[in-house]
Structure formats: structure tokens, C-alpha cells
Amino acid sequence: MATILRSGPPLLHHHLSRRLQQSHHYYLSSHQSIIRHLNTKHYDVAIIGGGHNALVSACYLSKFNKKVVVLERSQKFGGATQSVYAFQGINARLSRYSYLVALFPDRIKRELELEFETLRRRVSWYAPHEDGRGVLLNRFFDEESRRSLAEFAGENEVVAWETFYERIGKVAEILAPTLLEPLKSEDEVRSLIGEEAWKDFVEQPLSETLDSYFTNDLVKGVVLTDGLIGTFAAADDKLANICFLYHLIGNGCGEWRVPTGGMGALVDALIGRAEALGAKLKADSEVISVDVSDTGISLTTSAGEEISAELLLSGAAPAVLEKLTGIPSAIPLRDGSQIKMNMVLKRLPKLKSGIDPNLAFAGTFHISEGYDQLERAYAEAICGKIPREIPAEIYCHTLTDPSILDDSMIEAGNHTLTLFALHTPAFLFDEDSKQRKEIVTKRILHGLNQHLVEPIETLILKDLNGKLCLEVKTPQDLEKEIGLPRGNIFHGNLSWPWKNGEEQRRWGVETAHDRVFIAGAGSLRGGGVSGIGGHNAAMAALERLRRWS
């Protein structure tokens, strides 16, 4: 060969040289391909995102002996359900982004054998009024609750309250079990809950239903808030009906409970169970590219790791999945519309109404959430104005579960307060965000201070650097920190929890590609801290794998 090359004609010499180069190149390429293949780890299912829904999926799939990997871009798992020490030198483990648990089904906890507990709050809610009075309702609508409501709004409002919540309670008992089943049709659900309830909660706007039951503005507003949490809508918008339904049907009772040890305890329980079942959990593993084909899934992480899988589940928002895969998001996206505040106090504030703070803050504390106040705030915000009065509600975790504080803080009487403000959509902060954030913070605290004997600012602890233990999160902050598109806590608009119109999906998690499923809040029925999206995606994936085996 060498002699021929040295003495052959120039054309032949050139031809053979090129063939040898091509052969050598082919050998190297093949060798590199083989090495890449050997280094590529193959799984039955790869899951993008490490929030609670993704972890629920991992647990179920691993329980059925599937090889699973969960890829989380940040250093910590949990997403919106993580707990953190937010203030330097302050030993308070705060549930930073989500606070209470209602939608997480007890069935998931039993089936996955999760070591996670929730505590009942003794008070449901307290709402102070500008005239110095207020309304206190306990967890059970007992005699004390009836008396408080009657003294404030009259006996007719007591009857209306009991009738209204008895009716929605029956709907909750019927609908809750269906959330973990294949989707029922609209006609099936309508038949199950009955025509009267269908008219009240589905067919007519929530505004009309509330008008038909309640007359007191504050009482009607408190009821409406369940239709507005994380949802930028007026009372006559059907999106408010949908949001309201989700907030009232959890576990068939709609009771909002405090997670023992904070939201991070749920994450810890899920991580422990997933790993015990054999799932591979990888933090600091941002997925930067995804190739979806008819034969499988290929992923590459920011660290250069290559992973292949039969199926892909996404705990990330549909908008994030669309950027990675090109699979169009099927969920409409309205701006997230909440401000989240966390603070640590020296002690609870005294109230002008004279009520014991240990009662007033034991449930949900409503600020500026009368019906007219809510509608006025929406009308101002939709016009691009920061509402003059910003509706908000407060939760005090430590009155029910002080375990998130160290012993010295408990002895000192310290408490945490978490505030969730409504009608503060992302578009209000697209320009001059820092200045607008400051304005919103002042208006929210002013709304709270109207009902306090002492300004809340005087009671906020300072951290090691002398800064107030107060953090404020806009929708844009939520997008940057935990990947919520436009700060929408549901990853997109909520939908009715049944097949509606042309909906053909079996579980509400399927996408345009047979190998890809939505496992997060953006799945149909997936909103909130529920694990439902994760469960349903796992069930759909198991069915798909069984069909292909």
C-alpha cells in the first residue's frame, strides 16, 4: 500500500489518500459515537424539574419498578414547596413560596407511605372591618362562629353561609375522588353533582351565585377570595369559578392545613421515598436540550451529561417544555397576580378590634377583601394602575406549628407571618419594577396597619446585618427564582377538572407527542400543591409503557 502511494499516478495517489482519510474519520466518528453511547445513561422515564409533582411521579413510577431519573436545575429540590432560612442569623425555616396544604390527596400519602403530617388550624378565618369590628369563624361552624357572623352581618347571613357551604361541600365530596382517575366527561360530572349545584358553581358566573346567597359586602368578599388566589380575574369571569372550585374540593372537604415542619417537610418525605424506591435524583442538572423522536428521548444537561429515556415527564411549566422540545403548550397563560411576603416578628401585633391576636392570626387573616374592594382593585389593576387598596391575606404558621422556629425564638414569643396579596399582576412590574415594588409594599403594610394598634414595621425582627426580616416577591421574582412563567403559580390558566369541549386526553397530562407528558401544575387538574399532576402523569406513563411492552 505504501509503495503504491509513493509511486502511483498523482490522481490515484490523491484518490487513495482521500479514501484513507475518510476511512480514518469514519473510524474516529464511529469510535466517538460508541463512547457517547456507552456514556449515555438510559432510563424508562426522565423527569424534568424537581418540584413536588415531579417527585410524586418518580415515587409512583419507581414503585412499579421503572428506572427513573429526576433532573433539577437548582441545588435544591422542591421548587415552590421548598423551605428556607430566609434571613441571616434567624433560625426560622420558612415556607417561602407556598404555605398551606388542602389539595394534596390523603390517598397519595397512603399509597406512597409518606412520612408527612399536616395540622388543622383551630380558626378558619378572621376579617377585621374598617368600623373596628370583625368576624371570626372557627374551623367548624360552631356556635361561636354563628354568633360572630350574626352579630356582624345578621341571622340571614348565617343561614346563607350554612346553605352555601353545605352545597359546595357535597360537590367536593363527589369531585375529589375523580381527580386521581381518568377524566370524566362534562355530562358525567353534571349528572353526578346535580343541576342545582351545576348552575351555582359552573354555569353562572360566581358573582351571580354570591349575589343570590349573600348580602354583606365583607362576607361576600371573603367567599370570593377562594376564586382569586393566584388568578387575575373579576368576579364575573368564569376563571374565578374554576379557581373557586379547586380551592374548595381538596380531599372532599376543602380544609387548608398547616404542613408540620413547613412545606419543606413534604419535599423531604418525597425525596426520601423516591430514593428508597430506587429513583435517581440529580440536582444542579439543568436540561438544556431535548430531542424527541418516535424511538425515544435524548436529553443533554448543562454539565454535558447525556441521558436517554423511553418517556419524558415535565414537572416544569408547559411554556418551559415548549422551549426545550417545540411541543406547543396547550394551556393559556394569564399573568400571575400575587405579591408574596414573608416576615418574622418579635411578637404578634395587637388589634384595634380588641380580639386576641392568637385567635385573629390563627386562621386566614383577611385585609381589604370586601367584595367591592376586590372588584375595585381588579378594575384599577386591569387599567395598569397599582390598586389604592391592595387586598391581601395573612397566615401565621407558628401559631399552629412552632417547630419551624428554634427553642429560643419560641421562648421569646417570636412568630412568622406570610402574606399573599391579590390583584397585583406581573404587567404592573414590567417597568420601574423596583419603585413599584416599594409602592406596593407600603400600600399592603398600610392596609394591615389600619387594623393594628401598632405599626407592623415596629415588630419585625432584624437579621444579623440589621435589616428587617421582611422579603417581598413579585411575579417576576417567582419566574426568575422557581421558573413560574409570568409568576403564574398554576403554570397557566386553570381548567375545569373534567373533559370539556374537544378535550380528548385520558388523564389530562398528554401532549402532542406520545412520549411526552405534563407532570406539573400545568396539567389539567394539576394546580396548587396537590401532587395530582404528578400522580396522573405517572399513571399515563405506566399505561403507555405497558402498551409498548
Side-chain angles (χ1 to χ4, degrees), residues 103-223:
L103 282 166
F104 197 90
D106 291 338
R107 176 180 151 186
I108 292 180
K109 180 184 165 185
R110 288 193 306 271
E111 290 178 347
L112 297 182
E113 302 175 62
L114 296 177
E115 295 182 4
F116 169 70
E117 299 297 332
T118 57
L119 298 171
R120 288 178 158 173
R121 301 184 294 173
R122 55 177 170 160
V123 171
S124 177
W125 57 269
Y126 175 74
H129 192 265
E130 58 188 15
D131 64 7
R133 297 182 298 154
V135 189
L136 179 80
L137 263 63
N138 292 323
R139 175 165 55 89
F140 295 113
F141 196 67
D142 55 12
E143 194 53 45
E144 183 182 18
S145 302
R146 288 187 182 89
R147 185 169 60 252
S148 178
L149 185 56
E151 288 175 357
F152 182 82
E155 291 291 342
N156 289 341
E157 212 73 348
V158 174
V159 174
W161 184 274
E162 291 186 293
T163 304
F164 181 86
Y165 280 99
E166 181 182 2
R167 182 161 294 163
I168 190 63
K170 290 177 179 177
V171 172
E173 290 176 4
I174 294 167
L175 279 185
T178 71
L179 300 178
L180 297 177
E181 300 170 352
L183 286 165
K184 293 189 179 298
S185 70
E186 182 177 300
D187 288 342
E188 286 176 307
V189 173
R190 185 170 187 161
S191 176
L192 283 171
I193 70 174
E195 287 300 318
E196 197 168 5
W198 184 266
K199 177 186 176 185
D200 276 353
F201 304 116
V202 180
E203 194 170 84
Q204 69 183 12
L206 187 57
S207 57
E208 293 183 22
T209 299
L210 298 185
D211 283 342
S212 69
Y213 279 88
F214 304 104
T215 57
N216 183 274
D217 180 81
L218 180 58
V219 173
K220 189 163 60 170
V222 168
V223 178

Side-chain angles (χ1 to χ4, degrees), residues 335-402:
D335 268 6
S337 184
Q338 66 287 314
I339 291 289
K340 291 175 180 265
M341 287 187 184
N342 292 302
M343 60 187 90
V344 184
L345 304 183
K346 302 171 188 174
R347 60 172 171 81
L348 291 175
K350 298 175 183 178
L351 286 103
K352 292 178 181 177
S353 65
I355 189 173
D356 182 351
N358 291 302
L359 278 178
F361 290 100
T364 299
F365 187 101
H366 294 274
I367 307 165
S368 304
E369 291 192 323
Y371 188 90
D372 286 346
Q373 288 171 311
L374 288 164
E375 290 288 83
R376 187 163 56 246
Y378 173 81
E380 290 171 345
I382 198 69
C383 293
K385 301 176 183 177
I386 298 173
R388 287 168 292 172
E389 291 181 294
I390 299 178
E393 42 203 61
I394 289 177
Y395 320 101
C396 179
H397 185 111
T398 46
L399 276 173
T400 303
D401 171 39

Side-chain angles (χ1 to χ4, degrees), residues 267-493:
V267 178
D268 293 341
L270 286 167
I271 288 173
R273 192 69 183 120
E275 290 182 331
L277 289 166
K280 183 73 173 177
L281 308 183
K282 295 191 172 193
D284 276 328
S285 294
E286 182 178 5
V287 176
I288 58 173
S289 72
V290 179
D291 180 54
V292 181
S293 72
D294 292 337
T295 57
I297 307 291
S298 299
L299 305 95
T300 304
T301 71
S302 54
E305 183 177 13
E306 295 184 353
I307 291 169
S308 67
E310 297 301 313
L311 300 178
L312 175 67
L313 271 59
S314 175
V320 174
L321 181 66
E322 182 175 1
K323 289 179 182 178
L324 285 171
T325 65
I327 297 173
S329 171
I331 182 172
L333 176 62
R334 193 176 292 190
D335 268 6
S337 184
Q338 66 287 314
I339 291 289
K340 291 175 180 265
M341 287 187 184
N342 292 302
M343 60 187 90
V344 184
L345 304 183
K346 302 171 188 174
R347 60 172 171 81
L348 291 175
K350 298 175 183 178
L351 286 103
K352 292 178 181 177
S353 65
I355 189 173
D356 182 351
N358 291 302
L359 278 178
F361 290 100
T364 299
F365 187 101
H366 294 274
I367 307 165
S368 304
E369 291 192 323
Y371 188 90
D372 286 346
Q373 288 171 311
L374 288 164
E375 290 288 83
R376 187 163 56 246
Y378 173 81
E380 290 171 345
I382 198 69
C383 293
K385 301 176 183 177
I386 298 173
R388 287 168 292 172
E389 291 181 294
I390 299 178
E393 42 203 61
I394 289 177
Y395 320 101
C396 179
H397 185 111
T398 46
L399 276 173
T400 303
D401 171 39
S403 73
I404 65 169
L405 303 177
D406 71 8
D407 290 342
S408 64
M409 295 186 73
I410 294 172
E411 288 179 18
N414 300 152
H415 280 288
T416 64
L417 287 185
T418 295
L419 183 145
F420 190 104
L422 308 180
H423 292 330
T424 48
F427 61 75
L428 291 181
F429 304 94
D430 282 334
E431 297 179 2
D432 302 321
S433 58
K434 184 178 179 181
Q435 181 183 6
R436 284 174 166 257
K437 188 175 183 177
E438 291 174 355
I439 294 171
V440 165
T441 301
K442 288 179 181 179
R443 290 186 184 180
I444 290 172
L445 296 181
H446 174 73
L448 172 59
N449 286 336
Q450 284 185 310
H451 305 289
L452 306 182
V453 172
E454 54 214 327
I456 193 69
E457 293 90 336
T458 64
L459 297 177
I460 299 175
L461 281 174
K462 293 183 179 179
D463 67 10
L464 280 181
N465 299 314
K467 296 180 180 179
L468 290 179
C469 294
L470 169 68
E471 67 171 13
V472 182
K473 303 291 185 184
T474 65
Q476 280 83 345
D477 293 327
L478 300 184
E479 180 167 27
K480 180 181 178 181
E481 294 171 18
I482 52 175
L484 302 182
R486 296 294 291 169
N488 191 306
I489 63 174
F490 305 124
H491 291 187
N493 297 357

